[in-house]
Amino acid sequence: MKILETKDLKKYYGSGETQVKALDGVNLSIEEGEFAAVVGTSGSGKSTLLHMLGGLDYATSGTVTVAGKQIFDLNENELTIFRRRKIGFIFQNYNLVPILNVYENIVLPLELDGRNIDKAFVMDIVQMLGLKDKLENLPNQLSGGQQQRVAIARALAAKPAIVLADEPTGNLDSKTTQEVLGLLKLTGEQFHQTIVMITHNEALAQLCNRVIHIEDGRIINDYLQGGVIDEK
Protein backbone atom coordinates (compact mmCIF):
# COMPACT_ATOMS: atom_id res chain seq x y z
CA MET A 1 0.00 0.00 0.00
CA LYS A 2 1.35 3.43 -0.99
CA ILE A 3 1.72 5.65 2.08
CA LEU A 4 3.54 8.66 0.58
CA GLU A 5 3.79 10.10 -2.94
CA THR A 6 5.18 13.23 -4.53
CA LYS A 7 4.38 14.39 -8.05
CA ASP A 8 6.60 16.88 -9.91
CA LEU A 9 7.60 18.45 -6.59
CA LYS A 10 9.50 21.71 -6.97
CA LYS A 11 10.93 24.23 -4.53
CA TYR A 12 12.58 27.29 -6.04
CA TYR A 13 14.18 30.24 -4.28
CA GLY A 14 14.68 33.60 -5.97
CA SER A 15 14.25 34.27 -9.68
CA GLY A 16 16.18 34.93 -12.86
CA GLU A 17 19.89 34.22 -12.90
CA THR A 18 20.07 33.89 -9.10
CA GLN A 19 17.25 31.34 -8.87
CA VAL A 20 18.08 28.24 -6.83
CA LYS A 21 16.22 25.04 -7.63
CA ALA A 22 16.36 23.20 -4.31
CA LEU A 23 13.92 20.59 -5.66
CA ASP A 24 13.41 20.32 -9.38
CA GLY A 25 10.62 17.91 -10.21
CA VAL A 26 10.80 15.10 -7.66
CA ASN A 27 8.55 12.08 -8.22
CA LEU A 28 8.67 9.62 -5.36
CA SER A 29 6.49 6.85 -3.99
CA ILE A 30 6.97 5.12 -0.62
CA GLU A 31 5.20 1.89 0.28
CA GLU A 32 3.89 1.08 3.74
CA GLY A 33 6.53 -0.65 5.87
CA GLU A 34 9.56 0.53 3.89
CA PHE A 35 12.71 1.81 5.60
CA ALA A 36 14.10 4.16 2.95
CA ALA A 37 17.21 6.34 3.01
CA VAL A 38 17.44 9.55 0.99
CA VAL A 39 21.13 10.16 0.41
CA GLY A 40 22.83 13.30 -0.82
CA THR A 41 25.64 15.73 -0.15
CA SER A 42 25.15 19.14 1.44
CA GLY A 43 23.02 21.27 -0.88
CA SER A 44 21.62 18.30 -2.80
CA GLY A 45 18.05 19.02 -1.73
CA LYS A 46 17.59 16.14 0.71
CA SER A 47 16.66 18.29 3.73
CA THR A 48 14.35 20.43 1.61
CA LEU A 49 12.66 17.23 0.46
CA LEU A 50 12.13 16.11 4.04
CA HIS A 51 10.60 19.47 4.94
CA MET A 52 8.21 19.13 2.01
CA LEU A 53 7.28 15.54 2.91
CA GLY A 54 6.55 16.58 6.48
CA GLY A 55 4.58 19.68 5.61
CA LEU A 56 7.13 21.90 7.37
CA ASP A 57 7.38 24.11 4.29
CA TYR A 58 5.31 24.69 1.16
CA ALA A 59 6.34 23.72 -2.35
CA THR A 60 6.64 26.09 -5.30
CA SER A 61 4.59 23.55 -7.26
CA GLY A 62 3.70 19.87 -7.27
CA THR A 63 1.97 17.70 -4.69
CA VAL A 64 2.77 15.65 -1.60
CA THR A 65 0.24 13.00 -0.59
CA VAL A 66 0.52 11.31 2.82
CA ALA A 67 -1.92 8.56 3.79
CA GLY A 68 -4.21 9.58 0.95
CA LYS A 69 -4.27 13.29 1.84
CA GLN A 70 -2.73 16.03 -0.32
CA ILE A 71 -1.11 18.01 2.46
CA PHE A 72 -0.73 21.31 0.57
CA ASP A 73 -4.52 21.46 0.24
CA LEU A 74 -4.80 21.83 4.03
CA ASN A 75 -4.87 25.20 5.77
CA GLU A 76 -2.26 25.93 8.44
CA ASN A 77 -4.36 24.67 11.36
CA GLU A 78 -5.44 21.52 9.52
CA LEU A 79 -1.84 20.83 8.51
CA THR A 80 -0.64 21.21 12.11
CA ILE A 81 -3.19 18.66 13.29
CA PHE A 82 -2.42 16.32 10.39
CA ARG A 83 1.32 16.45 11.12
CA ARG A 84 0.75 15.70 14.79
CA ARG A 85 -1.41 12.68 14.00
CA LYS A 86 0.11 11.23 10.86
CA ILE A 87 3.80 12.20 10.73
CA GLY A 88 6.48 11.40 13.29
CA PHE A 89 9.70 13.41 13.25
CA ILE A 90 13.16 12.47 14.50
CA PHE A 91 15.71 15.30 14.35
CA GLN A 92 19.48 15.37 14.63
CA ASN A 93 19.27 17.59 17.72
CA TYR A 94 16.62 15.42 19.42
CA ASN A 95 14.30 18.42 20.16
CA LEU A 96 13.35 17.15 23.62
CA VAL A 97 11.72 19.50 26.11
CA PRO A 98 14.37 20.00 28.84
CA ILE A 99 11.93 20.45 31.75
CA LEU A 100 9.99 17.26 30.97
CA ASN A 101 11.14 13.78 31.94
CA VAL A 102 11.55 10.95 29.45
CA TYR A 103 7.98 9.64 29.74
CA GLU A 104 6.50 13.13 29.51
CA ASN A 105 8.55 13.85 26.38
CA ILE A 106 7.39 10.62 24.75
CA VAL A 107 3.66 11.25 25.29
CA LEU A 108 3.74 15.03 24.75
CA PRO A 109 2.41 14.95 21.14
CA LEU A 110 -0.50 12.76 22.26
CA GLU A 111 -1.35 15.12 25.11
CA LEU A 112 -1.16 18.15 22.84
CA ASP A 113 -3.64 16.41 20.56
CA GLY A 114 -5.98 15.53 23.42
CA ARG A 115 -5.74 11.83 22.61
CA ASN A 116 -5.92 8.91 25.00
CA ILE A 117 -2.50 7.43 25.64
CA ASP A 118 -2.13 3.75 24.78
CA LYS A 119 0.10 3.08 27.78
CA ALA A 120 0.69 -0.57 26.91
CA PHE A 121 1.89 0.41 23.42
CA VAL A 122 4.11 3.18 24.82
CA MET A 123 5.65 0.78 27.31
CA ASP A 124 6.30 -1.77 24.54
CA ILE A 125 8.28 0.92 22.70
CA VAL A 126 10.06 1.98 25.89
CA GLN A 127 11.02 -1.63 26.63
CA MET A 128 12.35 -2.24 23.13
CA LEU A 129 14.44 0.95 23.20
CA GLY A 130 15.90 0.17 26.63
CA LEU A 131 14.40 3.22 28.33
CA LYS A 132 12.38 1.53 31.07
CA ASP A 133 14.80 2.59 33.82
CA LYS A 134 15.10 6.15 32.47
CA LEU A 135 11.44 7.29 32.44
CA GLU A 136 11.89 9.74 35.35
CA ASN A 137 15.13 11.21 34.01
CA LEU A 138 15.36 14.65 32.44
CA PRO A 139 17.03 14.95 29.01
CA ASN A 140 20.21 16.46 30.47
CA GLN A 141 20.68 13.31 32.55
CA LEU A 142 20.89 11.16 29.42
CA SER A 143 23.63 10.43 26.90
CA GLY A 144 23.20 11.51 23.29
CA GLY A 145 22.25 7.99 22.26
CA GLN A 146 19.64 7.77 25.02
CA GLN A 147 18.17 11.13 24.04
CA GLN A 148 17.84 9.95 20.45
CA ARG A 149 16.08 6.82 21.68
CA VAL A 150 13.58 9.05 23.47
CA ALA A 151 13.06 10.97 20.22
CA ILE A 152 12.42 7.68 18.40
CA ALA A 153 9.94 6.59 21.07
CA ARG A 154 8.13 9.94 20.84
CA ALA A 155 7.86 9.63 17.06
CA LEU A 156 6.43 6.11 17.27
CA ALA A 157 4.07 6.64 20.23
CA ALA A 158 1.45 8.50 18.18
CA LYS A 159 1.28 5.58 15.67
CA PRO A 160 1.94 7.89 12.70
CA ALA A 161 1.48 6.90 9.08
CA ILE A 162 5.15 7.67 8.44
CA VAL A 163 8.27 8.63 10.39
CA LEU A 164 10.70 11.17 8.91
CA ALA A 165 14.22 11.12 10.34
CA ASP A 166 16.58 14.02 9.54
CA GLU A 167 20.22 12.91 10.00
CA PRO A 168 19.12 11.11 13.20
CA THR A 169 22.62 9.94 14.10
CA GLY A 170 24.50 13.09 13.08
CA ASN A 171 25.50 13.98 16.65
CA LEU A 172 26.42 10.46 17.76
CA ASP A 173 29.69 8.53 17.76
CA SER A 174 30.10 5.59 15.39
CA LYS A 175 29.26 2.88 17.94
CA THR A 176 26.12 4.66 19.15
CA THR A 177 25.17 5.44 15.55
CA GLN A 178 25.11 1.74 14.67
CA GLU A 179 23.15 0.98 17.83
CA VAL A 180 20.52 3.68 17.28
CA LEU A 181 20.07 2.86 13.60
CA GLY A 182 19.69 -0.81 14.46
CA LEU A 183 17.01 0.05 17.00
CA LEU A 184 15.26 2.33 14.52
CA LYS A 185 15.16 -0.50 11.98
CA LEU A 186 14.02 -3.00 14.60
CA THR A 187 11.22 -0.80 15.92
CA GLY A 188 10.09 -0.09 12.36
CA GLU A 189 9.77 -3.82 11.72
CA GLN A 190 8.23 -4.58 15.11
CA PHE A 191 5.58 -1.87 14.92
CA HIS A 192 5.05 -2.05 11.12
CA GLN A 193 6.24 1.51 10.72
CA THR A 194 7.26 3.30 7.51
CA ILE A 195 10.49 5.30 7.89
CA VAL A 196 12.22 7.75 5.56
CA MET A 197 15.68 8.78 6.73
CA ILE A 198 17.71 11.67 5.35
CA THR A 199 21.47 11.11 5.50
CA HIS A 200 24.73 12.06 3.83
CA ASN A 201 26.29 8.79 5.00
CA GLU A 202 26.31 6.15 2.26
CA ALA A 203 27.33 3.37 4.67
CA LEU A 204 24.34 4.05 6.91
CA ALA A 205 22.03 4.16 3.93
CA GLN A 206 23.09 0.64 2.98
CA LEU A 207 21.50 -0.63 6.20
CA CYS A 208 18.08 0.48 4.92
CA ASN A 209 15.78 -1.54 2.69
CA ARG A 210 15.74 1.12 -0.01
CA VAL A 211 18.21 3.80 -1.04
CA ILE A 212 17.27 6.97 -2.94
CA HIS A 213 20.05 9.24 -4.21
CA ILE A 214 19.33 12.94 -4.75
CA GLU A 215 21.57 15.44 -6.49
CA ASP A 216 20.88 19.05 -7.55
CA GLY A 217 17.26 18.71 -6.48
CA ARG A 218 16.57 15.60 -8.56
CA ILE A 219 16.43 11.89 -7.80
CA ILE A 220 19.25 10.31 -9.79
CA ASN A 221 18.73 6.70 -8.75
CA ASP A 222 16.42 4.71 -6.52
CA TYR A 223 16.89 1.07 -5.62
CA LEU A 224 15.83 -1.66 -3.25
CA GLN A 225 18.69 -3.58 -1.69
CA GLY A 226 19.10 -6.25 -4.33
CA GLY A 227 17.40 -4.50 -7.25
CA VAL A 228 16.92 -1.15 -8.96
CA ILE A 229 13.50 0.49 -8.78
CA ASP A 230 14.20 3.33 -11.14
CA GLU A 231 17.04 5.35 -12.59
CA LYS A 232 16.63 8.93 -13.69
Side-chain angles (χ1 to χ4, degrees):
M1 177 182 170
K2 194 181 299 180
I3 201 71
L4 181 150
E5 184 177 34
T6 73
K7 290 186 177 178
D8 200 25
L9 189 63
K10 297 178 180 179
K11 181 65 175 181
Y12 295 170
Y13 297 97
S15 59
E17 293 182 1
T18 61
Q19 187 177 69
V20 175
K21 296 181 178 181
L23 294 179
D24 193 21
V26 171
N27 293 291
L28 177 64
S29 178
I30 301 290
E31 296 292 317
E32 189 173 7
E34 282 193 304
F35 186 5
V38 178
V39 189
T41 57
S42 178
S44 63
K46 63 184 188 300
S47 292
T48 302
L49 177 60
L50 181 126
H51 290 162
M52 298 292 113
L53 300 182
L56 298 174
D57 196 3
Y58 288 93
T60 302
S61 63
T63 61
V64 173
T65 303
V66 179
K69 181 77 72 174
Q70 284 197 30
I71 63 174
F72 298 141
D73 288 345
L74 303 174
N75 64 37
E76 194 167 331
N77 186 55
E78 290 170 335
L79 183 55
T80 297
I81 294 170
F82 184 83
R83 273 200 309 264
R84 203 157 55 212
R85 295 179 179 176
K86 296 294 185 180
I87 305 172
F89 292 97
I90 304 170
F91 296 102
Q92 181 175 336
N93 294 319
Y94 322 131
N95 284 11
L96 302 180
V97 180
I99 61 172
L100 300 182
N101 66 29
V102 165
Y103 183 80
E104 291 165 340
N105 265 286
I106 291 170
V107 301
L108 180 62
L110 295 168
E111 292 183 332
L112 289 173
D113 202 33
R115 294 160 66 184
N116 291 327
I117 297 169
D118 185 342
K119 292 183 180 179
F121 180 69
V122 171
M123 291 311 296
D124 281 346
I125 297 170
V126 164
Q127 185 76 35
M128 176 165 284
L129 291 170
L131 293 169
K132 189 175 180 180
D133 296 332
K134 302 292 183 182
L135 293 179
E136 298 298 324
N137 289 53
L138 295 174
N140 66 4
Q141 297 172 314
L142 304 175
S143 68
Q146 290 168 337
Q147 289 187 63
Q148 194 57 291
R149 292 186 193 193
V150 177
I152 293 169
R154 179 182 58 192
L156 295 173
K159 302 178 183 177
I162 192 164
V163 172
L164 303 177
D166 188 5
E167 298 277 9
T169 61
N171 287 332
L172 306 176
D173 60 45
S174 58
K175 181 177 181 295
T176 309
T177 289
Q178 294 289 331
E179 179 184 278
V180 167
L181 195 63
L183 285 168
L184 188 59
K185 188 171 184 177
L186 188 62
T187 52
E189 293 170 353
Q190 177 72 25
F191 301 112
H192 311 292
Q193 188 60 65
T194 307
I195 302 169
V196 177
M197 179 180 73
I198 300 296
T199 183
H200 68 277
N201 189 320
E202 186 70 46
L204 287 184
Q206 297 305 316
L207 299 176
C208 299
N209 307 120
R210 180 175 170 189
V211 181
I212 301 157
H213 285 92
I214 188 169
E215 187 177 298
D216 297 327
R218 291 176 173 269
I219 292 175
I220 57 171
N221 61 55
D222 180 355
Y223 60 90
L224 293 170
Q225 298 290 13
V228 173
I229 295 173
D230 192 15
E231 290 201 9
K232 308 296 180 185

mmCIF file with all atom_site columns, all heavy atoms in Angstrom, residues 68-83:
data_model
loop_
_atom_site.group_PDB
_atom_site.id
_atom_site.type_symbol
_atom_site.label_atom_id
_atom_site.label_alt_id
_atom_site.label_comp_id
_atom_site.label_asym_id
_atom_site.label_entity_id
_atom_site.label_seq_id
_atom_site.pdbx_PDB_ins_code
_atom_site.Cartn_x
_atom_site.Cartn_y
_atom_site.Cartn_z
_atom_site.occupancy
_atom_site.B_iso_or_equiv
_atom_site.pdbx_formal_charge
_atom_site.auth_seq_id
_atom_site.auth_comp_id
_atom_site.auth_asym_id
_atom_site.auth_atom_id
_atom_site.pdbx_PDB_model_num
ATOM 1   N N   . GLY A 1 68 ? -3.057 9.236  1.771  1.00 0.00 ? 68 GLY A N   1
ATOM 2   C CA  . GLY A 1 68 ? -4.210 9.581  0.953  1.00 0.00 ? 68 GLY A CA  1
ATOM 3   C C   . GLY A 1 68 ? -4.631 11.031 0.974  1.00 0.00 ? 68 GLY A C   1
ATOM 4   O O   . GLY A 1 68 ? -5.590 11.428 0.306  1.00 0.00 ? 68 GLY A O   1
ATOM 5   N N   . LYS A 1 69 ? -3.906 11.880 1.707  1.00 0.00 ? 69 LYS A N   1
ATOM 6   C CA  . LYS A 1 69 ? -4.272 13.294 1.838  1.00 0.00 ? 69 LYS A CA  1
ATOM 7   C C   . LYS A 1 69 ? -3.210 14.175 1.179  1.00 0.00 ? 69 LYS A C   1
ATOM 8   O O   . LYS A 1 69 ? -2.028 14.077 1.496  1.00 0.00 ? 69 LYS A O   1
ATOM 9   C CB  . LYS A 1 69 ? -4.385 13.654 3.312  1.00 0.00 ? 69 LYS A CB  1
ATOM 10  C CG  . LYS A 1 69 ? -4.778 15.081 3.597  1.00 0.00 ? 69 LYS A CG  1
ATOM 11  C CD  . LYS A 1 69 ? -6.252 15.344 3.389  1.00 0.00 ? 69 LYS A CD  1
ATOM 12  C CE  . LYS A 1 69 ? -7.091 14.707 4.461  1.00 0.00 ? 69 LYS A CE  1
ATOM 13  N NZ  . LYS A 1 69 ? -8.521 15.088 4.343  1.00 0.00 ? 69 LYS A NZ  1
ATOM 14  N N   . GLN A 1 70 ? -3.656 15.048 0.267  1.00 0.00 ? 70 GLN A N   1
ATOM 15  C CA  . GLN A 1 70 ? -2.734 16.026 -0.320 1.00 0.00 ? 70 GLN A CA  1
ATOM 16  C C   . GLN A 1 70 ? -2.509 17.141 0.701  1.00 0.00 ? 70 GLN A C   1
ATOM 17  O O   . GLN A 1 70 ? -3.393 17.958 0.952  1.00 0.00 ? 70 GLN A O   1
ATOM 18  C CB  . GLN A 1 70 ? -3.301 16.587 -1.628 1.00 0.00 ? 70 GLN A CB  1
ATOM 19  C CG  . GLN A 1 70 ? -3.181 15.630 -2.794 1.00 0.00 ? 70 GLN A CG  1
ATOM 20  C CD  . GLN A 1 70 ? -3.341 16.313 -4.139 1.00 0.00 ? 70 GLN A CD  1
ATOM 21  O OE1 . GLN A 1 70 ? -3.015 17.481 -4.300 1.00 0.00 ? 70 GLN A OE1 1
ATOM 22  N NE2 . GLN A 1 70 ? -3.856 15.559 -5.117 1.00 0.00 ? 70 GLN A NE2 1
ATOM 23  N N   . ILE A 1 71 ? -1.320 17.157 1.286  1.00 0.00 ? 71 ILE A N   1
ATOM 24  C CA  . ILE A 1 71 ? -1.115 18.010 2.458  1.00 0.00 ? 71 ILE A CA  1
ATOM 25  C C   . ILE A 1 71 ? -1.095 19.508 2.125  1.00 0.00 ? 71 ILE A C   1
ATOM 26  O O   . ILE A 1 71 ? -1.427 20.330 2.983  1.00 0.00 ? 71 ILE A O   1
ATOM 27  C CB  . ILE A 1 71 ? 0.163  17.612 3.229  1.00 0.00 ? 71 ILE A CB  1
ATOM 28  C CG1 . ILE A 1 71 ? 1.425  17.796 2.385  1.00 0.00 ? 71 ILE A CG1 1
ATOM 29  C CG2 . ILE A 1 71 ? 0.063  16.177 3.720  1.00 0.00 ? 71 ILE A CG2 1
ATOM 30  C CD1 . ILE A 1 71 ? 2.718  17.538 3.170  1.00 0.00 ? 71 ILE A CD1 1
ATOM 31  N N   . PHE A 1 72 ? -0.761 19.898 0.906  1.00 0.00 ? 72 PHE A N   1
ATOM 32  C CA  . PHE A 1 72 ? -0.729 21.314 0.567  1.00 0.00 ? 72 PHE A CA  1
ATOM 33  C C   . PHE A 1 72 ? -2.126 21.882 0.334  1.00 0.00 ? 72 PHE A C   1
ATOM 34  O O   . PHE A 1 72 ? -2.292 23.089 0.176  1.00 0.00 ? 72 PHE A O   1
ATOM 35  C CB  . PHE A 1 72 ? 0.162  21.575 -0.649 1.00 0.00 ? 72 PHE A CB  1
ATOM 36  C CG  . PHE A 1 72 ? 1.608  21.200 -0.424 1.00 0.00 ? 72 PHE A CG  1
ATOM 37  C CD1 . PHE A 1 72 ? 2.358  20.603 -1.430 1.00 0.00 ? 72 PHE A CD1 1
ATOM 38  C CD2 . PHE A 1 72 ? 2.226  21.433 0.795  1.00 0.00 ? 72 PHE A CD2 1
ATOM 39  C CE1 . PHE A 1 72 ? 3.679  20.257 -1.230 1.00 0.00 ? 72 PHE A CE1 1
ATOM 40  C CE2 . PHE A 1 72 ? 3.546  21.085 1.012  1.00 0.00 ? 72 PHE A CE2 1
ATOM 41  C CZ  . PHE A 1 72 ? 4.278  20.486 0.002  1.00 0.00 ? 72 PHE A CZ  1
ATOM 42  N N   . ASP A 1 73 ? -3.138 20.998 0.332  1.00 0.00 ? 73 ASP A N   1
ATOM 43  C CA  . ASP A 1 73 ? -4.523 21.462 0.245  1.00 0.00 ? 73 ASP A CA  1
ATOM 44  C C   . ASP A 1 73 ? -5.076 21.856 1.607  1.00 0.00 ? 73 ASP A C   1
ATOM 45  O O   . ASP A 1 73 ? -6.159 22.438 1.697  1.00 0.00 ? 73 ASP A O   1
ATOM 46  C CB  . ASP A 1 73 ? -5.423 20.365 -0.354 1.00 0.00 ? 73 ASP A CB  1
ATOM 47  C CG  . ASP A 1 73 ? -5.178 20.152 -1.838 1.00 0.00 ? 73 ASP A CG  1
ATOM 48  O OD1 . ASP A 1 73 ? -4.543 21.025 -2.462 1.00 0.00 ? 73 ASP A OD1 1
ATOM 49  O OD2 . ASP A 1 73 ? -5.612 19.117 -2.367 1.00 0.00 ? 73 ASP A OD2 1
ATOM 50  N N   . LEU A 1 74 ? -4.339 21.539 2.668  1.00 0.00 ? 74 LEU A N   1
ATOM 51  C CA  . LEU A 1 74 ? -4.798 21.834 4.027  1.00 0.00 ? 74 LEU A CA  1
ATOM 52  C C   . LEU A 1 74 ? -4.406 23.250 4.426  1.00 0.00 ? 74 LEU A C   1
ATOM 53  O O   . LEU A 1 74 ? -3.353 23.750 4.028  1.00 0.00 ? 74 LEU A O   1
ATOM 54  C CB  . LEU A 1 74 ? -4.170 20.844 5.015  1.00 0.00 ? 74 LEU A CB  1
ATOM 55  C CG  . LEU A 1 74 ? -4.410 19.353 4.746  1.00 0.00 ? 74 LEU A CG  1
ATOM 56  C CD1 . LEU A 1 74 ? -3.606 18.504 5.730  1.00 0.00 ? 74 LEU A CD1 1
ATOM 57  C CD2 . LEU A 1 74 ? -5.889 19.013 4.831  1.00 0.00 ? 74 LEU A CD2 1
ATOM 58  N N   . ASN A 1 75 ? -5.262 23.899 5.231  1.00 0.00 ? 75 ASN A N   1
ATOM 59  C CA  . ASN A 1 75 ? -4.870 25.200 5.771  1.00 0.00 ? 75 ASN A CA  1
ATOM 60  C C   . ASN A 1 75 ? -3.883 24.976 6.918  1.00 0.00 ? 75 ASN A C   1
ATOM 61  O O   . ASN A 1 75 ? -3.609 23.830 7.313  1.00 0.00 ? 75 ASN A O   1
ATOM 62  C CB  . ASN A 1 75 ? -6.086 26.023 6.205  1.00 0.00 ? 75 ASN A CB  1
ATOM 63  C CG  . ASN A 1 75 ? -6.862 25.404 7.360  1.00 0.00 ? 75 ASN A CG  1
ATOM 64  O OD1 . ASN A 1 75 ? -6.278 24.824 8.278  1.00 0.00 ? 75 ASN A OD1 1
ATOM 65  N ND2 . ASN A 1 75 ? -8.186 25.529 7.318  1.00 0.00 ? 75 ASN A ND2 1
ATOM 66  N N   . GLU A 1 76 ? -3.342 26.047 7.461  1.00 0.00 ? 76 GLU A N   1
ATOM 67  C CA  . GLU A 1 76 ? -2.259 25.925 8.437  1.00 0.00 ? 76 GLU A CA  1
ATOM 68  C C   . GLU A 1 76 ? -2.680 25.125 9.673  1.00 0.00 ? 76 GLU A C   1
ATOM 69  O O   . GLU A 1 76 ? -1.932 24.268 10.162 1.00 0.00 ? 76 GLU A O   1
ATOM 70  C CB  . GLU A 1 76 ? -1.783 27.326 8.858  1.00 0.00 ? 76 GLU A CB  1
ATOM 71  C CG  . GLU A 1 76 ? -0.460 27.301 9.606  1.00 0.00 ? 76 GLU A CG  1
ATOM 72  C CD  . GLU A 1 76 ? 0.158  28.681 9.749  1.00 0.00 ? 76 GLU A CD  1
ATOM 73  O OE1 . GLU A 1 76 ? -0.078 29.544 8.882  1.00 0.00 ? 76 GLU A OE1 1
ATOM 74  O OE2 . GLU A 1 76 ? 0.873  28.887 10.741 1.00 0.00 ? 76 GLU A OE2 1
ATOM 75  N N   . ASN A 1 77 ? -3.890 25.385 10.173 1.00 0.00 ? 77 ASN A N   1
ATOM 76  C CA  . ASN A 1 77 ? -4.358 24.675 11.362 1.00 0.00 ? 77 ASN A CA  1
ATOM 77  C C   . ASN A 1 77 ? -4.591 23.196 11.065 1.00 0.00 ? 77 ASN A C   1
ATOM 78  O O   . ASN A 1 77 ? -4.196 22.321 11.848 1.00 0.00 ? 77 ASN A O   1
ATOM 79  C CB  . ASN A 1 77 ? -5.659 25.305 11.872 1.00 0.00 ? 77 ASN A CB  1
ATOM 80  C CG  . ASN A 1 77 ? -6.111 24.699 13.185 1.00 0.00 ? 77 ASN A CG  1
ATOM 81  O OD1 . ASN A 1 77 ? -5.369 24.667 14.157 1.00 0.00 ? 77 ASN A OD1 1
ATOM 82  N ND2 . ASN A 1 77 ? -7.340 24.197 13.209 1.00 0.00 ? 77 ASN A ND2 1
ATOM 83  N N   . GLU A 1 78 ? -5.201 22.911 9.918  1.00 0.00 ? 78 GLU A N   1
ATOM 84  C CA  . GLU A 1 78 ? -5.443 21.523 9.522  1.00 0.00 ? 78 GLU A CA  1
ATOM 85  C C   . GLU A 1 78 ? -4.130 20.774 9.332  1.00 0.00 ? 78 GLU A C   1
ATOM 86  O O   . GLU A 1 78 ? -4.008 19.601 9.710  1.00 0.00 ? 78 GLU A O   1
ATOM 87  C CB  . GLU A 1 78 ? -6.248 21.480 8.220  1.00 0.00 ? 78 GLU A CB  1
ATOM 88  C CG  . GLU A 1 78 ? -7.691 21.939 8.356  1.00 0.00 ? 78 GLU A CG  1
ATOM 89  C CD  . GLU A 1 78 ? -8.380 22.108 7.007  1.00 0.00 ? 78 GLU A CD  1
ATOM 90  O OE1 . GLU A 1 78 ? -7.679 22.334 5.990  1.00 0.00 ? 78 GLU A OE1 1
ATOM 91  O OE2 . GLU A 1 78 ? -9.617 22.047 6.981  1.00 0.00 ? 78 GLU A OE2 1
ATOM 92  N N   . LEU A 1 79 ? -3.139 21.460 8.751  1.00 0.00 ? 79 LEU A N   1
ATOM 93  C CA  . LEU A 1 79 ? -1.840 20.829 8.508  1.00 0.00 ? 79 LEU A CA  1
ATOM 94  C C   . LEU A 1 79 ? -1.134 20.522 9.825  1.00 0.00 ? 79 LEU A C   1
ATOM 95  O O   . LEU A 1 79 ? -0.512 19.467 9.986  1.00 0.00 ? 79 LEU A O   1
ATOM 96  C CB  . LEU A 1 79 ? -0.971 21.730 7.628  1.00 0.00 ? 79 LEU A CB  1
ATOM 97  C CG  . LEU A 1 79 ? 0.408  21.188 7.225  1.00 0.00 ? 79 LEU A CG  1
ATOM 98  C CD1 . LEU A 1 79 ? 0.284  19.833 6.541  1.00 0.00 ? 79 LEU A CD1 1
ATOM 99  C CD2 . LEU A 1 79 ? 1.115  22.183 6.307  1.00 0.00 ? 79 LEU A CD2 1
ATOM 100 N N   . THR A 1 80 ? -1.244 21.428 10.792 1.00 0.00 ? 80 THR A N   1
ATOM 101 C CA  . THR A 1 80 ? -0.637 21.206 12.112 1.00 0.00 ? 80 THR A CA  1
ATOM 102 C C   . THR A 1 80 ? -1.214 19.956 12.757 1.00 0.00 ? 80 THR A C   1
ATOM 103 O O   . THR A 1 80 ? -0.478 19.109 13.286 1.00 0.00 ? 80 THR A O   1
ATOM 104 C CB  . THR A 1 80 ? -0.868 22.419 13.020 1.00 0.00 ? 80 THR A CB  1
ATOM 105 O OG1 . THR A 1 80 ? -0.215 23.568 12.452 1.00 0.00 ? 80 THR A OG1 1
ATOM 106 C CG2 . THR A 1 80 ? -0.305 22.180 14.421 1.00 0.00 ? 80 THR A CG2 1
ATOM 107 N N   . ILE A 1 81 ? -2.526 19.820 12.713 1.00 0.00 ? 81 ILE A N   1
ATOM 108 C CA  . ILE A 1 81 ? -3.194 18.658 13.294 1.00 0.00 ? 81 ILE A CA  1
ATOM 109 C C   . ILE A 1 81 ? -2.807 17.383 12.539 1.00 0.00 ? 81 ILE A C   1
ATOM 110 O O   . ILE A 1 81 ? -2.519 16.338 13.143 1.00 0.00 ? 81 ILE A O   1
ATOM 111 C CB  . ILE A 1 81 ? -4.726 18.847 13.288 1.00 0.00 ? 81 ILE A CB  1
ATOM 112 C CG1 . ILE A 1 81 ? -5.106 19.999 14.231 1.00 0.00 ? 81 ILE A CG1 1
ATOM 113 C CG2 . ILE A 1 81 ? -5.445 17.556 13.685 1.00 0.00 ? 81 ILE A CG2 1
ATOM 114 C CD1 . ILE A 1 81 ? -6.549 20.437 14.121 1.00 0.00 ? 81 ILE A CD1 1
ATOM 115 N N   . PHE A 1 82 ? -2.779 17.483 11.210 1.00 0.00 ? 82 PHE A N   1
ATOM 116 C CA  . PHE A 1 82 ? -2.420 16.318 10.389 1.00 0.00 ? 82 PHE A CA  1
ATOM 117 C C   . PHE A 1 82 ? -0.995 15.854 10.698 1.00 0.00 ? 82 PHE A C   1
ATOM 118 O O   . PHE A 1 82 ? -0.752 14.657 10.853 1.00 0.00 ? 82 PHE A O   1
ATOM 119 C CB  . PHE A 1 82 ? -2.558 16.664 8.903  1.00 0.00 ? 82 PHE A CB  1
ATOM 120 C CG  . PHE A 1 82 ? -2.299 15.492 7.993  1.00 0.00 ? 82 PHE A CG  1
ATOM 121 C CD1 . PHE A 1 82 ? -3.301 14.567 7.730  1.00 0.00 ? 82 PHE A CD1 1
ATOM 122 C CD2 . PHE A 1 82 ? -1.053 15.303 7.406  1.00 0.00 ? 82 PHE A CD2 1
ATOM 123 C CE1 . PHE A 1 82 ? -3.069 13.481 6.894  1.00 0.00 ? 82 PHE A CE1 1
ATOM 124 C CE2 . PHE A 1 82 ? -0.811 14.220 6.583  1.00 0.00 ? 82 PHE A CE2 1
ATOM 125 C CZ  . PHE A 1 82 ? -1.827 13.303 6.320  1.00 0.00 ? 82 PHE A CZ  1
ATOM 126 N N   . ARG A 1 83 ? -0.064 16.791 10.793 1.00 0.00 ? 83 ARG A N   1
ATOM 127 C CA  . ARG A 1 83 ? 1.324  16.448 11.118 1.00 0.00 ? 83 ARG A CA  1
ATOM 128 C C   . ARG A 1 83 ? 1.401  15.721 12.456 1.00 0.00 ? 83 ARG A C   1
ATOM 129 O O   . ARG A 1 83 ? 2.098  14.719 12.600 1.00 0.00 ? 83 ARG A O   1
ATOM 130 C CB  . ARG A 1 83 ? 2.191  17.707 11.185 1.00 0.00 ? 83 ARG A CB  1
ATOM 131 C CG  . ARG A 1 83 ? 2.791  18.156 9.885  1.00 0.00 ? 83 ARG A CG  1
ATOM 132 C CD  . ARG A 1 83 ? 3.973  19.079 10.104 1.00 0.00 ? 83 ARG A CD  1
ATOM 133 N NE  . ARG A 1 83 ? 3.653  20.172 11.003 1.00 0.00 ? 83 ARG A NE  1
ATOM 134 C CZ  . ARG A 1 83 ? 3.286  21.384 10.604 1.00 0.00 ? 83 ARG A CZ  1
ATOM 135 N NH1 . ARG A 1 83 ? 3.195  21.654 9.321  1.00 0.00 ? 83 ARG A NH1 1
ATOM 136 N NH2 . ARG A 1 83 ? 3.014  22.326 11.479 1.00 0.00 ? 83 ARG A NH2 1
#
